Amino acid sequence: MQQYLKTYLFFFSLVFFVFHGNAQFKQSSKWKALFALGFNNPSSNGFIDGVSAQSVNFPTVNLGIQHMFKRAYGVKLDYGFNRAKNDADAPEFKINYSRVNVQFVYDPTEVLGVLPYRFRTILHAGPGFSFVQPLGDLTDNKQSYLNLLGGLELHYAINEKVSLYTDVAYIYGLTSLDEYDPVLSGLGAFNGSVFNLTFGIAVSLSGCQYCD
């Protein structure tokens, strides 16, 4: 009898822990800091004719601060830095591509209802500004322009305050090289689009606060 009692107590304790844990991890913190590191792929049509960057470039660094108005939606302000260099068939160059974006954030996890325990998805999109700085002797071809960014994050909660995540994002440049006066035709000039793949950590800055 005592053995059965211990088994029942263990079973109900486990059930309570699972459901209690699910309830906690389904809440979103109001404020979060995000840090991510990864790779980038600049589009070849953003360079002058006959020039392209490597298909995979490192590093890509993203830093952000996120505020959720409700459990499902909020806003994010983030900064991104990318370094890219020439591929094997192009003259030697390196560029620093930086951006600042204000984005709308939407969490469809509860609507989808298919993700395993501790996982969440985040959709994010919004406008921003890009800054391109060629390195070495190519600095005359630096430029800046508007962009639109869209992406998808997949989060795995370690606990109520910390989660690991991966982010797939596309940054679309809202300009072209021939729009400049004079026309930018030099090596290192870039104002195309950039594909990012990053891996990072999200840290709650507001404890376990609920959003509504």
Side-chain angles (χ1 to χ4, degrees), residues 31 39 41 82 89 98 100 105 126 129 134 138-139 141 161 168 188 192 194 202 205:
W31 290 96
F39 307 90
N41 170 240
N82 300 271
D89 298 325
S98 303
V100 177
V105 175
F129 212 72
L138 308 174
T139 54
N141 284 321
K161 294 185 178 182
V168 179
V194 179
L205 302 178

Side-chain angles (χ1 to χ4, degrees), residues 42-43 45-47 97 130 132 145 170-175 177 190-194:
S43 62
N45 60 8
F47 296 98
Y97 174 97
S130 297
V132 179
Y145 49 90
Y170 187 74
I171 311 154
Y172 180 73
L174 295 174
T175 185
L177 291 175
F190 174 79
N191 61 0
S193 303
V194 179

Side-chain angles (χ1 to χ4, degrees), residues 1-28:
M1 182 66 179
Q2 188 176 7
Q3 182 64 35
Y4 285 125
L5 182 59
K6 288 182 180 179
T7 302
Y8 285 131
L9 286 175
F10 173 78
F11 174 76
F12 284 113
S13 297
L14 181 62
V15 170
F16 173 79
F17 173 78
V18 170
F19 278 95
H20 181 65
N22 269 312
Q24 288 180 316
F25 288 118
K26 285 185 178 180
Q27 309 302 332
S28 298

Side-chain angles (χ1 to χ4, degrees), residues 8-187:
Y8 285 131
L9 286 175
F10 173 78
F11 174 76
F12 284 113
S13 297
L14 181 62
V15 170
F16 173 79
F17 173 78
V18 170
F19 278 95
H20 181 65
N22 269 312
Q24 288 180 316
F25 288 118
K26 285 185 178 180
Q27 309 302 332
S28 298
S29 297
K30 288 185 178 181
W31 290 96
K32 281 186 178 180
L34 301 103
F35 312 88
L37 181 68
F39 307 90
N40 68 81
N41 170 240
S43 62
S44 58
N45 60 8
F47 296 98
I48 59 174
D49 291 341
V51 172
S52 59
Q54 294 179 345
S55 56
V56 178
N57 295 274
F58 179 87
T60 290
V61 180
N62 291 333
L63 307 173
I65 186 78
Q66 178 179 293
H67 176 68
M68 300 299 286
F69 298 114
K70 298 290 184 179
R71 293 181 187 177
Y73 63 87
V75 293
K76 175 170 68 170
L77 174 66
D78 71 328
Y79 166 80
F81 171 82
N82 300 271
R83 169 70 59 83
K85 63 178 296 185
N86 60 285
D87 66 12
D89 298 325
E92 184 176 354
F93 70 88
K94 290 182 180 179
I95 62 169
N96 289 342
Y97 174 97
S98 303
R99 60 164 188 85
V100 177
N101 284 80
V102 178
Q103 301 179 60
F104 176 77
V105 175
Y106 175 64
D107 183 347
T109 304
E110 294 184 9
V111 176
L112 296 174
V114 296
L115 291 178
Y117 173 56
R118 293 179 184 245
F119 281 92
R120 301 193 73 85
T121 55
I122 301 289
L123 298 170
H124 57 97
F129 212 72
S130 297
F131 308 88
V132 179
Q133 176 70 62
L135 304 183
D137 298 327
L138 308 174
T139 54
D140 288 342
N141 284 321
K142 65 182 179 181
Q143 57 204 115
S144 56
Y145 49 90
L146 295 172
N147 71 61
L148 288 175
L149 185 153
L152 170 66
E153 299 172 3
L154 178 63
H155 287 247
Y156 174 78
I158 298 176
N159 54 43
E160 295 90 343
K161 294 185 178 182
V162 179
S163 64
L164 302 178
Y165 74 98
T166 181
D167 183 17
V168 179
Y170 187 74
I171 311 154
Y172 180 73
L174 295 174
T175 185
S176 62
L177 291 175
D178 56 11
E179 291 180 4
Y180 291 86
D181 185 16
V183 174
L184 285 176
S185 59
L187 188 65

